[in-house]
Amino acid sequence: MPIFIPFHEHADSRGNLVPIESKRDVPFSIERVYYIWGVPQEERRGGHAHKTLEQVLICLSGSVTILLDDGFTREEIQLNNPCKGLLINRPTWREMYSFAPGTVLLALVSEPYNENDYIRDYKEFSQWIKQGCDR
Ligand code: TYD
C-alpha cells in the first residue's frame, strides 16, 4: 500500500543535498509546506484523513512511525531517510507517533490549508470510504 518516492541525492565530500521540484520530483504542484518537530516520544499526531489533498512526508532527521489506514487495512511504516518520501495520494487515515528525539518531519502538500478538507473522526472516515468517498 505505501508509495515511496526516492529522491535524487547529490552527495560529495561537503555533505548531501536533495532538490525537490513541483510536478517533477513529486506528482503535484506544491502549494504548501509544513514541518513538525519537537514532538515528545509519547505523543501522537495526525489522526485524520483528507478528502482531496495529496502530500509527501519526508523525515529530514530522526525517525517516526506512520500508521496508514485505507479503511480496510492498516500498515505501520518507519520513516527515517531524508532521501525517501512517503506519498499519500488517496483517502488514507494517518497517525504519526514514536518520534525519536530530534526528529523533523516535512510535509509537501498539494493544497492550501483548509479545515473543510479534513475528516477528524475515524468512524466518519470509515463510513465515507464505504460509501465510495462522496465529495
Ligand atoms: P494539526 O492538524 O493538529 O496537526 P497534525 O494533525 O499534523 O498533528 O495542526 C495543528 C495546528 O496547526 C492546528 O491549529 C491547525 C494548524 N495548521 C495550520 O494552520 N496550517 C497547516 O498547514 C497545518 C498542517 C496546521
Side-chain angles (χ1 to χ4, degrees):
M1 180 171 65
I3 305 168
F4 291 108
I5 301 178
F7 298 121
H8 183 219
E9 181 186 12
H10 300 260
D12 60 36
S13 58
R14 299 169 300 157
N16 313 309
L17 183 153
V18 169
I20 299 176
E21 290 190 21
S22 276
K23 296 198 237 173
R24 187 190 77 166
D25 304 297
V26 296
F28 52 79
S29 173
I30 299 168
E31 296 297 322
R32 176 164 55 107
V33 170
Y34 69 89
Y35 42 94
I36 295 171
W37 80 106
V39 181
Q41 250 171 318
E42 67 281 6
E43 286 292 345
R44 296 174 80 92
R45 300 204 57 122
H48 61 252
H50 287 285
K51 293 177 192 160
T52 59
L53 72 72
E54 300 178 33
Q55 63 182 338
V56 172
L57 296 176
I58 306 160
C59 187
L60 296 183
S61 174
S63 106
V64 57
T65 302
I66 315 278
L67 170 82
L68 299 176
D69 179 332
D70 65 4
F72 300 98
T73 55
R74 297 197 137 199
E75 194 161 347
E76 274 188 333
I77 288 147
Q78 185 105 17
L79 276 190
N80 56 13
N81 181 349
C83 299
K84 195 164 94 170
L86 172 65
L87 173 65
I88 307 177
N89 63 352
R90 48 180 85 111
T92 306
W93 182 266
R94 82 289 308 267
E95 296 176 25
M96 295 94 105
Y97 43 89
S98 300
F99 285 77
T103 295
V104 182
L105 182 65
L106 176 71
L108 310 174
V109 191
S110 65
E111 306 287 339
Y113 179 73
N114 175 9
E115 189 58 36
N116 293 329
D117 192 60
Y118 281 77
I119 301 176
R120 293 190 182 271
D121 179 78
Y122 185 80
K123 253 193 186 166
E124 191 187 324
F125 168 72
S126 180
Q127 284 166 0
W128 182 65
I129 290 287
K130 280 163 191 131
Q131 287 161 5
C133 306
D134 291 335
R135 278 164 189 164

